[in-house]
Amino acid sequence: MEIAALVVSLLAFGMSGLVSLRQLKLSQHANALPVVVDLFREHRTVRLGQARTFVHEELPAYDLSLGLAGLPEEGRGLVRELGWYYDNLGALVAHGVVDIEPVSGYLGGSVLSVWEHMEPLVRAERARRRQSALPDPERWQAYFENLYHLVKEMPAERARAKAQLWRPTAL
């Protein structure tokens, strides 16, 4: 009888541990949800849409070896805002506030294409900041760069496929 009671107690302890872990995970998702929703909403704003258009269509025409200084004032503002957006998003992912899967699944293509267009400018801007003896020049857009590599490791297609409720339609 004592063994049966011990087994039941151990099973109850194990189940309560599993329930606690599940509750912790749900709590983490609940805390991150407003952040993710706000970030996705911000990505759809007119201003960031204009910034993505500038980066894809106009940025290649400028001398990116000059960094931000090689851009007109309006373009510089658009590039800064877009870069800061992805840099902030990258910081949240790197520090575990937001999971990479929903970010890559929803924004992965944009992260990749924007970084690939901006990378020469970022490298030049870091070099300019080093020459100006600005503190920590390699930090500029480092989280964005890291986000790019994380999305490469977890491409949008794979991130979406990992979602429990992803049911793509056949094309």
Side-chain angles (χ1 to χ4, degrees):
M1 193 61 116
E2 291 178 19
I3 293 177
L6 179 62
V7 168
V8 169
S9 295
L10 289 173
L11 285 173
F13 180 72
M15 288 301 293
S16 68
L18 290 174
V19 168
S20 294
L21 286 174
R22 177 72 178 144
Q23 189 65 27
L24 178 63
K25 188 70 170 170
L26 288 173
S27 173
Q28 289 170 338
H29 282 286
N31 290 336
L33 183 61
V35 173
V36 171
V37 169
D38 283 346
L39 287 167
F40 289 172
R41 182 181 301 122
E42 184 179 354
H43 193 263
R44 294 187 309 265
T45 63
V46 171
R47 181 73 175 172
L48 286 187
Q50 291 169 335
R52 287 189 302 278
T53 298
F54 178 84
V55 165
H56 288 104
E57 295 177 7
E58 297 179 44
L59 187 64
Y62 293 97
D63 184 359
L64 302 183
S65 69
L66 300 172
L68 290 170
L71 301 179
E73 187 174 336
E74 177 65 15
R76 194 173 329 148
L78 290 169
V79 166
R80 276 191 182 126
E81 286 181 48
L82 190 58
W84 286 335
Y85 171 83
Y86 288 121
D87 204 49
N88 290 337
L89 181 58
L92 293 172
V93 170
H95 293 285
V97 176
V98 176
D99 291 332
I100 187 63
E101 287 86 359
V103 171
S104 181
Y106 188 67
L107 302 176
S110 292
V111 169
L112 297 177
S113 65
V114 169
W115 174 258
E116 288 166 0
H117 279 81
M118 282 182 56
E119 183 179 15
L121 180 135
V122 170
R123 302 252 178 253
E125 184 64 19
R126 288 175 181 168
R128 189 188 68 73
R129 290 169 181 239
R130 269 192 307 279
Q131 291 170 349
S132 299
L134 291 174
D136 200 13
E138 299 307 314
R139 159 57 190 102
W140 195 72
Q141 299 299 310
Y143 282 112
F144 181 11
E145 182 175 10
N146 185 63
L147 181 62
Y148 169 81
H149 292 293
L150 292 173
V151 169
K152 292 283 276 190
E153 292 172 9
M154 175 59 66
E157 301 78 25
R158 189 166 43 151
R160 288 189 292 263
K162 285 183 73 170
Q164 290 178 342
L165 298 177
W166 181 251
R167 306 291 186 272
T169 57
L171 298 178

